[in-house]
Amino acid sequence: MLSSIFENEDVVSLLSKVSSSPRYYDKKKKDSINYEKFSGLEQPMFLLFDALFKYQIIIGDDKYLRDYVHHLELLWYKIDNFHDISEGVCKILVKFCAKKLGYKMQIEEHRREILEYIYQKYIVEGYLFHAVSDVYVSTIRAEGFSPQLYENYYSRFLEIQNKYPGFFSDIDFNHDYVSFTDDFVMACYYAVYSPLYFSNFLCPLSSRKLDLNSYAKRDYIGCFKNLRNMLKVKEISDEDCEKIESLCHDEWKLLKRNESIPTIMLVKRSAFGKDSIHGIEEILQNSKEDIGILAHHIMDYKYDSFNWNLPISSSNIEFVSIPYSKYVVRSIFDDEATNIEVIVPNEEDNTEDGKVSFLLLLGSVLILTGVLFSIIMLYQ
């Protein structure tokens, strides 16, 4: 299972460090693609998820994982920008491919074999990605994936869109396709904010702050406060406000947003006929450029958005759940989403504080009991 790497002890330790220490996550955004989309810890964490995913696909051997994680930790600790971190990951993967293939330090002598191995694992046998709500996973596992043929409220959203063309302008509810990408970092983003038309409506990009927005935090109250404010500003009638809020509530409930886990559907590239890349022979024959850069050329994304409208067999599909909530933000809701507690990432529960709170409460009860007893005795 590809998600199992996130449960490894060494991986957990590194994820905790990157999510809690500015030394690991506070980086320059030099030449970073799509950096304006990311909030807070998202970019450093998504890059780390990507580095771990690539290890699973290309190396896939627990024997080297601890050493690999150690190299990633040094990379995140020393390098101060995301662009160089991304290239650094590829160079580290080259070293570990050499180890797995038995070439060890003989990297230059086996450039072509190492690059062919990466190409075979990551491209020929690799995947394209599509973010899905985890409520659909069990059905897809059993029946395969049919684009747009799953439970949704598109007809109701379309009714609102037709009346207010400015609403949901980023989607055509009549289309019969979904979009795939081979950029795992962006797939993580889409998984957190899926479906984008819904998250963008509840938390418009124009009003997003640097901190994580309410949708990413699964904050029902915050999202619907945003919604009501937006509808008020646009002077929507009370009747339509009620209809829109009801629809958004039903969508939230359908997606089980209070408990949802960001999930990425992986589909074999061969299912799309995308299991080769143009110019691969030139890359394999290149003996002048650094092998890490050439590996980066192979693994760099080729399809920012690739549309597909045909059914996909479950045999070509796998899933990865990313531990976004555990390391970036965690929210606890009661059943009605009325009692929200935001927990600082990776901060251990302070049992001493808990004891003090309990003693204060007990003391208050005893004092109140004493006062009541004194009043009773006074009037006897």
Side-chain angles (χ1 to χ4, degrees):
M1 184 177 177
L2 294 173
S3 301
S4 63
I5 193 169
F6 299 124
E7 301 168 5
N8 175 272
E9 182 179 349
D10 298 302
V11 170
V12 167
S13 176
L14 178 57
L15 290 170
S16 298
K17 289 178 181 178
V18 174
S19 67
S20 61
S21 172
R23 177 75 192 204
Y24 290 93
Y25 68 71
D26 189 12
K27 308 295 182 184
K28 299 175 185 177
K29 297 178 179 178
K30 171 187 174 184
D31 299 328
S32 177
I33 303 298
N34 291 317
Y35 70 87
E36 74 282 354
K37 290 181 177 292
F38 304 116
S39 297
L41 294 169
E42 288 178 351
Q43 193 165 13
M45 293 302 293
F46 291 170
L47 276 172
L48 185 51
F49 293 158
D50 176 60
L52 294 166
F53 171 78
K54 283 184 168 72
Y55 180 89
Q56 281 285 75
I57 298 300
I58 297 171
I59 309 297
D61 193 331
D62 290 343
K63 180 169 62 175
Y64 306 110
L65 183 55
R66 171 170 288 188
D67 194 18
Y68 179 74
V69 170
H70 175 67
H71 278 70
L72 292 183
E73 180 174 352
L74 291 177
L75 185 66
W76 258 255
Y77 185 83
K78 292 181 177 181
I79 305 302
D80 68 350
N81 69 86
F82 295 126
H83 176 268
D84 291 347
I85 285 177
S86 182
E87 288 194 347
V89 168
C90 294
K91 293 179 180 180
I92 292 171
L93 282 166
V94 164
K95 292 180 181 179
F96 281 85
C97 285
K99 284 186 179 182
K100 180 167 184 177
L101 295 173
Y103 303 142
K104 296 184 179 180
M105 302 306 294
Q106 299 173 320
I107 293 177
E108 285 303 315
E109 292 90 329
H110 297 279
R111 289 170 63 93
R112 185 181 179 94
E113 292 94 325
I114 293 170
L115 292 173
E116 283 181 339
Y117 177 80
I118 292 173
Y119 177 70
Q120 179 68 29
K121 288 291 184 179
Y122 198 74
I123 301 297
V124 179
E125 300 173 12
Y127 302 89
L128 293 182
F129 317 119
H130 174 69
V132 296
S133 297
D134 58 350
V135 294
Y136 301 122
V137 169
S138 60
T139 300
I140 295 172
R141 287 189 191 278
E143 303 173 6
F145 180 73
S146 296
Q148 307 298 25
L149 297 181
Y150 45 80
E151 185 179 3
N152 59 60
Y153 297 122
Y154 279 9
S155 60
R156 293 171 63 188
F157 279 112
L158 184 59
E159 182 182 345
I160 300 299
Q161 186 186 57
N162 288 336
K163 187 167 186 178
Y164 300 100
F167 290 173
F168 310 108
S169 58
D170 52 348
I171 183 174
D172 176 3
F173 290 106
N174 289 312
H175 68 57
D176 60 352
Y177 62 85
V178 296
S179 296
F180 286 82
T181 181
D182 60 353
D183 183 350
F184 192 77
V185 171
M186 287 308 300
C188 290
Y189 172 84
Y190 297 139
V192 170
Y193 294 98
S194 176
L196 287 181
Y197 68 84
F198 189 49
S199 61
N200 288 343
F201 187 62
L202 294 179
C203 301
L205 292 175
S206 59
S207 65
R208 176 186 290 182
K209 297 179 180 179
L210 292 178
D211 193 12
L212 298 169
N213 73 18
S214 299
Y215 193 85
K217 291 188 284 188
R218 303 181 298 190
D219 179 357
Y220 177 94
I221 292 177
C223 283
F224 279 78
K225 182 179 179 181
N226 290 340
L227 175 61
R228 293 185 188 104
N229 288 339
M230 183 268 290
L231 295 176
K232 182 178 180 181
V233 168
K234 292 184 178 294
E235 299 182 342
I236 305 300
S237 69
D238 290 343
E239 181 181 354
D240 283 347
C241 281
E242 184 176 342
K243 181 181 295 187
I244 292 170
E245 285 189 37
S246 176
L247 170 57
C248 290
H249 170 79
D250 289 347
E251 178 78 355
W252 187 282
K253 187 176 179 181
L254 172 67
L255 301 176
K256 297 182 179 179
R257 278 298 302 169
N258 288 1
E259 59 200 58
S260 63
I261 300 173
T263 302
I264 300 169
M265 182 173 71
L266 317 177
V267 179
K268 286 288 188 180
R269 288 175 181 263
S270 56
F272 308 104
K274 301 293 183 182
D275 50 346
S276 63
I277 59 176
H278 178 70
I280 182 60
E281 194 58 36
E282 294 177 13
I283 294 175
L284 297 176
Q285 291 180 357
N286 191 325
S287 60
K288 297 179 180 179
E289 196 163 9
D290 183 273
I291 187 174
I293 301 299
L294 296 176
H296 190 268
H297 290 335
I298 292 174
M299 291 182 280
D300 192 21
Y301 73 92
K302 310 297 185 297
Y303 304 102
D304 183 49
S305 182
F306 170 73
N307 296 332
W308 188 257
N309 64 355
L310 299 177
I312 301 171
S313 168
S314 59
S315 61
N316 286 318
I317 298 174
E318 294 187 54
F319 294 93
V320 167
S321 298
I322 60 171
Y324 178 90
S325 298
K326 183 176 181 180
Y327 296 103
V328 183
V329 60
R330 290 183 291 164
S331 300
I332 298 177
F333 295 79
D334 64 9
D335 291 338
E336 289 75 31
T338 57
N339 181 24
I340 299 177
E341 176 187 357
V342 178
I343 303 174
V344 178
N346 302 304
E347 183 172 290
E348 296 293 335
D349 293 335
N350 193 324
T351 55
E352 292 301 321
D353 287 348
K355 292 177 182 177
V356 171
S357 299
F358 174 76
L359 291 175
L360 286 173
L361 178 60
L362 179 60
S364 298
V365 172
L366 291 176
I367 291 172
L368 179 60
T369 303
V371 171
L372 291 173
F373 182 77
S374 298
I375 293 173
I376 293 171
M377 292 298 294
L378 183 64
Y379 287 96
Q380 278 187 341

